[in-house]
Amino acid sequence: MELLNDTVAIVTGGARGIGRAIARELISDGATVVILDRSYPEDFEDVARELRTGGRTLAAKTVDITNTDEVEKVCEEVAAEYGRIDLLVNNAGITRDRILPRMSEAEWDAVLAVNLKGAFNTIRVVARTMMRQRRGRIVNISSVVGLIGNVGQANYAASKAGLFGLTKSVAKELAGRNITVNCVAPGFVETEMTAVLSEEQRAQLLALVPLKRTSRPEEIAGIVAFLASEKAAYITGQVIAVDGGMTM
């Protein structure tokens, strides 16, 4: 049974990694998916053609989510084109790692702009549509780094911790309109972002994980699809760590 039939979803940063896995999962569950991304890898169209088989709808729009005007324009276009927006997944994120005494203002600002302000920009616009519908789901993709911190990632940790507060505050604001807002905090996930780690760094990270393995992007996507479904209608304002036990 397809849990998300007739659902229109926006996924930011959906061209690769966790975002792509989320788009794939949502489409397999029956949703119409619109990906917002700043750039698309060469293999994206191959994946898009695959996902569109069987009459599935997958659209992609280029947008800089740090630009308020661009975000407002594209989200309003999606609402007008499809008639509704049922799900927003704020997945877009970047890193600019450096220990704090050497971190530049530009490195700090870039990470906060994409990871936190980007979510603010999309929620602010999409919430208007959801409030008119009196129904919606918002899922923010954070990180366990926001819970426990990490050396060289003060900017990233601050942005991801900020998503926790944003999630809980907006959940309280929108609950009266039947809109749930939740946060997923992945641990160590196999993506392009983690592929650059050395074997020593990888071993150090896995030593912190009781399950002794990394997670797959599909495991994060499955939680997002659940939170988007009616099965999760009574869950809001929560941070769900998908981390193999790192933070227990």
Side-chain angles (χ1 to χ4, degrees):
M1 182 176 66
E2 295 180 331
L3 300 177
L4 301 177
N5 271 346
D6 303 319
T7 295
V8 176
I10 290 177
V11 181
T12 71
R16 67 186 76 206
I18 294 173
R20 181 183 291 187
I22 290 170
R24 188 189 301 273
E25 181 75 23
L26 296 178
I27 286 176
S28 71
D29 282 352
T32 291
V33 177
V34 181
I35 286 174
L36 307 185
D37 208 303
R38 185 167 56 185
S39 59
Y40 294 90
E42 292 180 359
D43 61 345
F44 178 77
E45 276 308 315
D46 291 338
V47 174
R49 280 192 293 272
E50 171 201 334
L51 296 180
R52 290 183 183 119
T53 58
R56 305 299 192 196
T57 300
L58 172 66
K61 295 179 181 289
T62 302
V63 63
D64 177 358
I65 64 167
T66 70
N67 186 305
T68 305
D69 293 337
E70 282 190 31
V71 170
E72 183 151 3
K73 180 175 182 291
V74 77
C75 289
E76 288 179 349
E77 285 176 354
V78 172
E81 183 174 353
Y82 296 97
R84 59 189 302 108
I85 299 173
D86 302 287
L87 170 64
L88 168 65
V89 182
N90 281 308
N91 167 76
I94 64 170
T95 58
R96 295 289 186 272
D97 295 352
R98 199 178 303 276
I99 60 171
L100 192 64
R102 297 179 181 175
M103 184 177 293
S104 69
E105 184 178 357
E107 289 167 333
W108 174 273
D109 288 347
V111 171
L112 270 291
V114 173
N115 299 4
L116 188 54
K117 183 185 176 184
F120 159 76
N121 281 342
T122 54
I123 292 172
R124 188 176 63 89
V125 180
V126 170
R128 299 172 192 158
T129 297
M130 291 182 174
M131 289 173 73
R132 288 193 295 270
Q133 297 168 178
R134 302 192 73 84
R135 186 193 182 282
R137 301 280 187 268
I138 297 171
V139 181
N140 298 316
I141 307 300
S142 181
S143 168
V144 295
V145 172
L147 290 167
I148 61 177
N150 196 31
V151 174
Q153 290 194 309
N155 49 3
Y156 186 74
S159 69
K160 294 301 187 178
L163 284 175
F164 301 151
L166 179 64
T167 295
K168 291 176 180 293
S169 297
V170 178
K172 289 185 175 181
E173 291 181 6
L174 300 182
R177 296 297 182 98
N178 193 32
I179 300 167
T180 65
V181 188
N182 291 290
C183 193
V184 176
F188 185 26
V189 186
E190 286 293 342
T191 65
E192 293 93 333
M193 193 178 288
T194 57
V196 298
L197 297 174
S198 67
E199 286 304 313
E200 181 181 0
Q201 290 171 317
R202 185 177 294 268
Q204 290 173 346
L205 284 169
L206 288 178
L208 302 174
V209 182
L211 287 182
K212 300 303 178 188
R213 69 171 179 85
T214 60
S215 70
R216 301 182 303 277
E218 293 74 18
E219 292 175 304
I220 310 304
I223 297 297
V224 173
F226 167 70
L227 290 172
S229 74
E230 283 303 308
K231 292 186 176 183
Y234 202 57
I235 300 173
T236 196
Q238 301 305 304
V239 176
I240 301 174
V242 187
D243 63 358
M246 280 180 67
T247 55
M248 68 178 172

